[in-house]
């Protein structure tokens, strides 16, 4: 899923949770189209409320490849007003051209991110944080520990993972490596700019 669509889903997250009921055809359609696996469907259905089910779906979708967003739009046949709103917002959003993004000075790229910078970054990330820290060399066990140590706060989980990465790599934990892993996960370039402001 491209950065624009991930950002769009994140920006309308709460609205989608109140509007879309995933109990109906939405999940079945996404399963039929191969966007969701059997385990995804079970994970979503195991949630206790409709809102939690929708949140779980919104967490899974960005990780399901380039066709996920369009398939999600197609699945919203029972919710034409939601589909219309998503399509309009998608047209309004313009992803920054990489040429528009200001270059980061090489001296900054070689430094380690500060606690404050990691905190700002954590505020802008969603479920993709796990893939980012895996790119940086952390293991699934590390991610699990961060989640267990901070079970009710996503931002704290993300910060804990980045701090662990910085402790392990020391001077090698640079902003440049962080930027590279964000680019691999197609995170909008404005996120790193915001972190450095």
């Amino acid at each position: 899923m491209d950065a624009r669509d991930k950002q769009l889903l994140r920006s309308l997250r709460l609205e989608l949770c109140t509007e879309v009921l995933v109990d109906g055809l939405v999940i079945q359609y996404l399963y039929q189209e191969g966007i969701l696996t059997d385990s995804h469907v079970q994970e979503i259905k195991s949630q206790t409320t409709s809102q939690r089910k929708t949140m779980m779906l919104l967490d899974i979708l960005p990780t399901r490849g380039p066709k996920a967003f369009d398939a999600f739009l197609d699945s919203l046949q029972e919710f034409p007003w939601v589909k219309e709103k998503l399509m309009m917002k998608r047209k309004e959003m313009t992803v920054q051209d990489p040429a528009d993004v200001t270059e980061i000075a090489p001296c900054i790229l070689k430094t380690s991110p500060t606690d404050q910078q990691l905190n700002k970054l954590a505020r802008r990330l969603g479920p993709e944080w796990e893939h980012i820290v895996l790119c940086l060399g952390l293991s699934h066990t590390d991610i699990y520990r961060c989640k267990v140590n901070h079970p009710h706060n996503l931002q704290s989980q993300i910060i804990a993972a980045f701090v662990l990465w910085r402790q392990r790599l020391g001077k090698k934990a640079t902003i440049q490596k962080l930027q590279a892993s964000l680019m691999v996960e197609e995170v909008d370039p404005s996120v790193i700019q915001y972190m450095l402001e």
Side-chain angles (χ1 to χ4, degrees):
M1 188 178 288
D2 73 30
R4 177 189 59 177
D5 294 337
K6 286 181 183 179
Q7 188 63 41
L8 177 56
L9 283 180
R10 191 176 306 141
S11 67
L12 293 176
R13 186 178 176 89
L14 294 175
E15 211 170 308
L16 288 169
C17 286
T18 57
E19 294 270 8
V20 179
L21 297 170
V22 292
D23 294 329
L25 297 174
V26 175
I27 292 180
Q28 295 310 318
Y29 181 83
L30 291 170
Y31 178 69
Q32 171 191 301
E33 296 302 306
I35 301 298
L36 296 179
T37 64
D38 217 14
S39 63
H40 289 137
V41 173
Q42 297 309 317
E43 199 175 351
I44 292 166
K45 286 185 173 179
S46 71
Q47 301 302 310
T48 49
T49 66
S50 285
Q51 286 182 323
R52 284 181 183 267
K53 288 176 184 176
T54 306
M55 278 190 192
M56 181 58 70
L57 174 65
L58 293 176
D59 286 345
I60 294 169
L61 274 178
T63 67
R64 300 305 298 154
K67 295 178 183 165
F69 190 83
D70 291 319
F72 178 58
L73 285 178
D74 293 341
S75 76
L76 295 172
Q77 291 161 4
E78 297 173 285
F79 308 98
W81 63 96
V82 177
K83 182 177 180 176
E84 209 170 288
K85 181 166 195 161
L86 282 169
M87 287 169 71
M88 278 176 55
K89 279 271 194 192
R90 194 183 198 190
K91 280 182 189 161
E92 288 170 18
M93 288 178 79
T94 52
V95 174
Q96 277 185 310
D97 183 357
D100 296 343
V101 178
T102 52
E103 284 293 309
I104 300 168
C107 59
I108 292 174
L109 286 173
K110 287 183 174 71
T111 63
S112 281
T114 64
D115 286 345
Q116 185 182 6
Q117 288 171 330
L118 292 177
N119 203 351
K120 286 175 94 173
L121 178 62
R123 271 186 251 149
R124 287 291 177 97
L125 294 177
E128 72 272 19
W129 75 273
E130 293 181 29
H131 297 285
I132 292 166
V133 296
L134 286 171
C135 280
L136 290 170
L138 264 60
S139 67
H140 288 285
T141 309
D142 295 327
I143 291 171
Y144 176 74
R145 280 201 195 106
C146 293
K147 287 180 165 184
V148 169
N149 292 340
H150 307 278
H152 305 296
N153 189 329
L154 178 65
Q155 192 174 339
S156 297
Q157 293 171 9
I158 299 170
I159 293 168
F162 283 131
V163 168
L164 181 63
W165 164 70
R166 197 176 59 191
Q167 286 171 341
R168 281 213 187 131
L169 290 181
K171 287 185 172 15
K172 290 181 183 172
T174 62
I175 289 175
Q176 186 169 19
K177 284 198 173 136
L178 194 53
Q179 182 186 31
S181 68
L182 291 170
M183 286 169 76
V184 167
E185 280 306 307
E186 297 178 346
V187 174
D188 195 296
S190 66
V191 171
I192 199 102
Q193 296 296 132
Y194 169 77
M195 182 188 105
L196 295 171
E197 280 169 8

